[in-house]
Amino acid sequence: MIRTLATMLACHWSAHRIQRYLDRDPAAPLTADETHRLESHLAQCERCQGLADEYRFLHGAVGTWARRSLPPEPALQRMHELVDRLSRGENQ
């Protein structure tokens, strides 16, 4: 019972720090002790490892979206004109 409670508390503590740990945000850094404690917990807790994996996946997906660029302005303008013509019922 006590071991289960300790694990639950460790998971709760870790869950609130995983994203900060992975982001390495200089505005909200973890202390060296917190980093060590979290890394130790992640090494033995599958549930928290899964949470960290989800954050990594989301971080990668958001990073991919951020690197995408819009088409050139002339192409966007032509698409807008086409949509406008089609919405007015014009064929071309």
Side-chain angles (χ1 to χ4, degrees), residues 30-87:
L30 295 178
T31 66
D33 288 339
E34 288 175 316
T35 300
H36 176 71
R37 180 177 171 188
L38 181 58
E39 288 173 346
S40 296
H41 181 73
L42 289 173
Q44 60 185 342
C45 180
E46 289 182 29
R47 187 171 63 162
C48 290
Q49 286 173 14
L51 183 59
D53 289 342
E54 287 179 29
Y55 281 134
R56 286 184 188 104
F57 174 79
L58 291 172
H59 182 75
V62 169
T64 299
W65 292 337
R67 288 188 298 273
R68 291 184 181 170
S69 61
L70 292 174
E73 187 60 36
L76 284 174
Q77 184 61 37
R78 287 192 304 274
M79 286 189 287
H80 283 283
E81 291 169 2
L82 175 63
V83 169
D84 287 343
R85 287 195 311 268
L86 292 173
S87 66

